Amino acid sequence: MDFSITTLFVVPSTQAALPTTGSTQDLTPGQVGLFTNAYVATATPQTGPYFYIAQGRQNNYLQGSKRSDKIAGPLQAVNPRPNIVEWYKVVGCATATNQITEIGNFHVQCGEIVTLTLRAHSSYIDTLYFNGFTRSVTVQAPCCACGADPCVDTDVDALINNLIFKLQQQAPGTNADNISFNTFFTFEKVGTGATAKLRITGKPLTKYGVPCDIAAFPHEYDRMWFRAFIYEGPATTVDYIVADRCNIVAIPLIVQRANYPKGTAEEIAQLEKNFYSYQAGYLKHLYRMMGYNQNYESYVAANQVYDTYYIKFLEYDRDKMTFGDYVPEDEQVIIAAVSGSAISTAIQAALAAALGTVVDESGACITTTTTTSTSSTTTTTTTTLIP
């Protein structure tokens, strides 16, 4: 079962280091520390058979510090049996990767009719359009010169320019609900001659406002991805996934797939709400009006990006679970710290000393670079592109 009893610790952006003295009652509100079985703060948790993570609370009435269960790492000095199931990190990245598709290898004869269909999907798009936002443009390939062989391939440059001209046309402005290709895509020609390609790049999704409601679920993991179909003849209503291979006149190739940003402040704030009740001593519910639940505490800093550290582990005292007709569930700790900060580095080093080298599950963080492309008017422009 893909479920773990989870405790989330969001390290305040103002915390610079892990505490090395004192116990859990000495933690200031929001301060996160690692503690040994002797209940002493430490940055070297491998000195005991187990350690746990604790965070000070603003409101500690009827409850102590927020803390994890016992974690026993394989590198700890005195450890009868490690209980680690999984230990990995995800480095924060605020940049959402947009999909890029290039259409090349054109084989279109003079005067042929060519149709390009795009079908876009995202959580929001699919609520507006059944089976995605689907639109088509149809153009006629340029004619051959007088006396030329009509069976030769047409001018690819001119054909791509014609496609871009049609793709960039705006929807009729008389209806505010009309949406054109330009809402979701940018188009450009790359290269010249027979090897020229049509590059289609998905635009970043619109960021919607956050409601002023502590119990709302405003953050949504969303991305925009699309399919491209190019074929001979006019637009058709058949399923484009089952294409007639005899009518394919070019090859669409996805050169970059869309992905999600990782560790954004909005994402971590949503996790605070999701996992709040697991560690609340009382008043576990998030009431819909701000101020009703004085126990709820958030340590997310706006506009920050967070590294997240995940530790999945089993119950330390497994002898207590010997008898019973139940399925044991593992536990999980998530620690979120501002990406690249000193405290994030310190937390990783401290945990690695007890748990071993962390597995990096971050994936690539795409940064913007600059490339030169040829526009539909055959002039050279500089375009910012996500590679």
Side-chain angles (χ1 to χ4, degrees):
M1 181 170 59
D2 188 17
F3 175 80
S4 301
I5 301 174
T6 302
T7 302
L8 171 70
F9 298 94
V10 179
V11 183
S13 59
T14 54
Q15 183 174 341
L18 290 170
T20 55
T21 59
S23 190
T24 55
Q25 72 268 16
D26 301 311
L27 291 171
T28 58
Q31 186 182 24
V32 174
L34 276 60
F35 295 84
T36 66
N37 59 309
Y39 309 105
V40 177
T42 180
T44 55
Q46 75 274 24
T47 55
Y50 64 83
F51 69 96
Y52 59 91
I53 303 160
Q55 183 174 33
R57 299 183 193 262
Q58 293 178 11
N59 183 0
N60 55 15
Y61 175 68
L62 296 181
Q63 56 187 354
S65 59
K66 176 181 175 180
R67 54 175 291 179
S68 72
D69 206 347
K70 301 171 183 177
I71 303 172
L75 301 183
Q76 294 190 252
V78 182
N79 186 1
R81 47 185 177 183
N83 63 348
I84 301 302
V85 176
E86 199 171 14
W87 150 234
Y88 64 96
K89 71 174 181 179
V90 177
V91 176
C93 179
T95 306
T97 306
N98 300 320
Q99 181 176 333
I100 301 174
T101 295
E102 291 182 348
I103 301 177
N105 196 23
F106 283 87
H107 294 289
V108 180
Q109 294 181 355
C110 298
E112 281 187 337
I113 302 297
V114 175
T115 298
L116 171 63
T117 299
L118 297 178
R119 177 178 289 168
H121 296 272
S122 80
S123 178
Y124 285 111
I125 290 174
D126 288 343
T127 62
L128 297 175
Y129 303 95
F130 172 75
N131 204 20
F133 172 78
T134 306
R135 295 287 189 276
S136 301
V137 294
T138 301
V139 299
Q140 184 175 16
C143 296
C144 295
C146 183
D149 184 355
C151 295
V152 300
D153 288 345
T154 189
D155 183 349
V156 175
D157 281 298
L159 175 60
I160 294 178
N161 289 341
N162 290 346
L163 284 169
I164 292 177
F165 177 78
K166 293 281 286 187
L167 290 165
Q168 291 181 336
Q169 287 182 336
Q170 296 291 338
T174 55
N175 187 344
D177 294 330
N178 285 348
I179 297 177
S180 66
F181 282 113
N182 298 306
T183 305
F184 301 113
F185 307 101
T186 60
F187 307 97
E188 56 186 329
K189 184 175 68 177
V190 179
T192 58
T195 59
K197 298 178 181 180
L198 170 62
R199 176 181 288 158
I200 306 170
T201 303
K203 288 184 176 181
L205 290 171
T206 300
K207 186 175 181 179
Y208 294 90
V210 177
C212 298
D213 188 338
I214 197 172
F217 283 65
H219 180 76
E220 183 166 351
Y221 297 87
D222 199 8
R223 69 184 182 109
M224 197 274 279
W225 59 279
F226 61 91
R227 290 191 174 100
F229 310 89
I230 186 165
Y231 47 91
E232 178 187 352
T236 177
T237 57
V238 301
D239 191 343
Y240 302 104
I241 298 175
V242 185
D244 184 351
R245 62 186 304 168
C246 297
N247 288 343
I248 296 175
V249 295
I251 305 298
L253 178 64
I254 299 175
V255 297
Q256 176 175 287
R257 294 192 179 274
N259 208 334
Y260 305 88
K262 300 181 286 288
T264 62
E266 294 87 352
E267 175 186 342
I268 304 302
Q270 186 63 61
L271 293 181
E272 283 184 321
K273 299 175 185 177
N274 294 348
F275 299 128
Y276 164 71
S277 64
Y278 288 173
Q279 279 284 0
Y282 61 101
L283 295 179
K284 292 178 176 289
H285 299 289
L286 288 178
Y287 298 102
R288 298 197 62 83
M289 298 298 293
M290 292 288 284
Y292 268 78
N293 192 337
Q294 299 298 328
N295 281 355
Y296 179 71
E297 301 172 10
S298 176
Y299 293 102
V300 172
N303 303 318
Q304 293 285 358
V305 179
Y306 287 81
D307 298 333
T308 45
Y309 300 94
Y310 296 80
I311 308 171
K312 288 190 177 184
F313 55 98
L314 301 174
E315 168 68 46
Y316 180 78
D317 299 318
R318 276 170 277 176
D319 292 338
K320 298 178 180 178
M321 305 176 67
T322 302
F323 301 99
D325 56 349
Y326 51 80
V327 177
E329 294 180 359
D330 60 21
E331 303 176 65
Q332 178 176 241
V333 164
I334 304 175
I335 305 176
V338 174
S339 184
S341 64
I343 187 62
S344 179
T345 303
I347 288 171
Q348 178 175 326
L351 294 176
L355 308 180
T357 303
V358 64
V359 177
D360 192 340
E361 298 284 4
S362 309
C365 182
I366 302 298
T367 57
T368 56
T369 59
T370 302
T371 186
T372 301
S373 62
T374 307
S375 71
S376 59
T377 56
T378 68
T379 60
T380 301
T381 59
T382 300
T383 306
T384 300
L385 174 69
I386 296 178

